[in-house]
């Protein structure tokens, strides 16, 4: 088994995988600076694929993850969200799965977020997606990192009681990361985030990748495809 095959197996088995520094530091610097200028004091945004530096990051992420066999060559980026945790905005996030996508379909209920429709699709759509969280700052154990329940993405869509029971039975894993690292995760993976014990800035760009065409009459709000990736690494 190649190293790439081992990474794919880990991602599929656990539902998450840390990929060290897939993007050049200069790209991270440029994106961080431009986001500060573009968003000002806002805590984040869901619509950052419209921002050129984030679009370029999505294209480069796809190319590098495809070479590692961690993303299908036909995949497109469909969303980029900034989470900007600071000493003044030191939030927590309860245990949950990501079950809404930036898409629409006739007859499917939608919620409008930042002017765009979001729906909760059937589970087969959620299982086809991959989230990639790029850390713009170091995220140690005291910085309010993500906690995940390994393997929980295989349990289907869970209600709150089922989620808590699964976490109690199997425990969670703290996902620390260095600046530039990318945490890959399946949206159905149970995850949560505590308030930072030592508050500092912790910015994460959360990209969502999926197939260009969707079943059930669904259509993405936006797509960024990028150039065809080079051959897979071995």
């Amino acid at each position: 088994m190649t190293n790439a095959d081992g990474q794919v197996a880990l991602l599929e088995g656990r539902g998450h995988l840390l990929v060290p520094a897939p993007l050049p530091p200069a790209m991270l610097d440029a994106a961080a600076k431009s986001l500060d200028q573009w968003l000002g004091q806002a805590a984040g945004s869901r619509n950052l694929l419209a921002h050129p530096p984030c679009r370029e990051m999505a294209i480069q992420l796809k190319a590098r993850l495809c070479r590692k066999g961690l993303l299908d060559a036909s995949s497109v980026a469909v969303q980029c969200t900034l989470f900007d945790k600071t000493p003044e905005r030191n939030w927590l996030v309860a245990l949950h799965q990501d079950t809404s996508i930036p898409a629409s379909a006739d007859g499917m209920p939608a919620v409008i977020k930042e002017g765009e429709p979001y729906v909760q699709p059937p589970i087969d759509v959620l299982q086809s997606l991959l989230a990639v969280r790029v850390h713009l700052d170091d995220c140690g154990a005291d910085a309010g990192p993500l906690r995940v329940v390994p393997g929980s993405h295989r349990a289907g869509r869970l209600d709150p009681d089922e989620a808590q029971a699964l976490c109690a039975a199997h425990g969670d894993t703290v996902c620390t990361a260095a600046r530039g690292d990318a945490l890959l995760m399946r949206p159905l993976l149970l995850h949560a985030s505590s308030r930072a014990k030592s508050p500092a800035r912790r910015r994460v760009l959360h990209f969502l990748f999926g197939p260009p065409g969707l079943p059930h009459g669904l259509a993405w709000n936006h797509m960024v495809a990028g150039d065809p990736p080079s051959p897979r690494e071995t």
Side-chain angles (χ1 to χ4, degrees), residues 55-103:
R55 289 175 67 90
E56 182 59 26
M57 287 182 74
I59 292 168
Q60 295 301 321
L61 276 173
K62 174 184 172 178
R64 285 159 172 76
L65 295 177
C66 284
R67 287 200 295 268
K68 294 177 178 293
L70 295 166
L71 194 62
D72 190 88
S74 65
S75 297
V76 293
V78 298
Q79 188 181 17
C80 176
T81 302
L82 173 68
F83 299 112
D84 189 356
K85 185 179 287 189
T86 68
E88 296 75 31
R89 297 189 296 264
N90 188 15
W91 65 77
L92 60 81
V93 179
L95 189 69
H96 71 288
Q97 299 168 302
D98 292 338
T99 57
S100 295
I101 61 171

Side-chain angles (χ1 to χ4, degrees), residues 204-220:
V204 174
L205 281 171
H206 182 112
F207 294 87
L208 184 64
F209 292 88
L214 293 173
H216 314 296
L218 285 158
W220 295 115

Side-chain angles (χ1 to χ4, degrees), residues 126-179:
L126 297 172
Q127 290 171 333
S128 71
L129 308 180
L130 180 68
V132 181
R133 294 169 56 91
V134 177
H135 292 77
L136 299 181
D137 304 287
D138 289 337
C139 184
D142 291 337
L146 214 63
R147 305 190 317 277
V148 303
V149 181
S152 56
H153 64 299
R154 296 176 294 184
R157 188 184 265 113
L158 302 169
D159 66 32
D161 289 340
E162 291 170 332
Q164 292 293 341
L166 192 61
C167 184
H170 297 284
D172 58 19
T173 296
V174 177
C175 298
T176 58
R179 177 182 180 273

